[in-house]
Amino acid sequence: MSREAERTMQLLYALRSAGVTDPRVLTAMERIDRSHFLRGIFAERAHEDVPLPIPCGQTISQPSVVGLMTQALSVSPRDKILEIGTGSGYQAAILSQLARRVYTVDRFRSLVLQAREVFEALGLHNITALTADGSHGLPEQAPFDRILVTAAAEDPPGPLLAQLRIGGIMVLPVGQSDTVQSLIRVTRTAEKGFDYDELRPVRFVPLLPGIGPE
Ligand code: SAH
């Protein structure tokens, strides 16, 4: 077996051990090589189940957390998804394998530009990456079937709740940024009804207001 195939097998094993069991999620994560979303020395560590640094002082999430969040989102092939926090673009690339259309926004323009280049190089044509403050959502494309937030807010932002379709699901970390946060799943049940499930403790960078300097 090649070194590359062996590393991919080890990553899949780590994902299963962490509770990622949905075969569609595992297949998507087997297909999308995380090293495309990392630079320099960090690309060599792409198959390790750890968060790693990306530009603008941000981080690419741990693969098992990406897998668990994607699984919790219960994506269907016809879904239109909004991701807040493009970062490296890795999570959006995984979602692009499972859904019809993915919109992803980040407050750092340079991260959005780099992620677009990787999507283009990998032929992922169903992703639109935009520079925006994701706390306002993306009203011009709402409503969304699924919303995934990859930065922590103290509470679920109101505009995101409003842009979730009835029957839609949002997964997001909530809590103070410098402590352990909870990953929660919000299901919109009716015009103004929401069900909340607490999934597990996580640690994400904070959801910050406005557009970033870079
Ligand atoms: N999903 C990413 C990791 C995200 S790290 C990946 O797969 O690599 C969190 C990202 O959220 C950072 O890039 C940060 O710039 C972004 N972010 C923080 N606050 C934001 C906001 N209000 N709107 C949009 N993006 C935001």
Side-chain angles (χ1 to χ4, degrees), residues 63-74:
S64 56
V65 172
V66 170
L68 289 168
M69 288 177 85
T70 307
Q71 185 166 280
L73 207 57
S74 308

Side-chain angles (χ1 to χ4, degrees), residues 19 32 34 45 61 72 75 89 99 163 174 209:
I32 302 288
R34 189 168 174 248
R45 300 185 55 196
S61 310
V75 179
Q163 289 170 33
V174 290

Side-chain angles (χ1 to χ4, degrees), residues 34 37-38 52 54-62 66 69 83-94 104-109 111-112 130-137 148-152 204-212:
R34 189 168 174 248
F37 301 88
L38 290 160
L52 291 167
I54 58 171
C56 305
Q58 305 302 314
T59 47
I60 182 170
S61 310
Q62 193 175 346
V66 170
M69 288 177 85
E83 180 199 24
I84 310 299
T86 311
S88 67
Y90 178 61
Q91 171 74 72
I94 302 295
T104 179
V105 305
D106 203 288
R107 57 191 292 278
F108 284 111
R109 189 169 163 271
L111 289 178
V112 169
L130 301 165
T131 310
D133 177 355
S135 358
H136 306 304
L148 185 61
V149 188
T150 63
F204 277 84
V205 298
L207 188 73
L208 295 173
I211 299 298

Side-chain angles (χ1 to χ4, degrees), residues 73 79-83 136-139 141-149 156-172 184-196:
L73 207 57
D79 285 349
K80 180 168 77 170
I81 305 186
L82 174 63
E83 180 199 24
H136 306 304
L138 198 59
Q141 296 297 338
F144 296 95
D145 302 292
R146 300 288 184 265
I147 300 179
L148 185 61
V149 188
L160 297 185
L161 291 171
Q163 289 170 33
L164 195 59
R165 192 188 295 285
I166 293 171
I169 298 173
M170 169 157 69
V171 171
L172 77 166
I184 64 165
R185 175 173 48 208
V186 183
T187 308
R188 184 161 195 175
T189 54
E191 192 54 48
K192 287 209 166 78
F194 297 95
D195 279 346
Y196 294 85

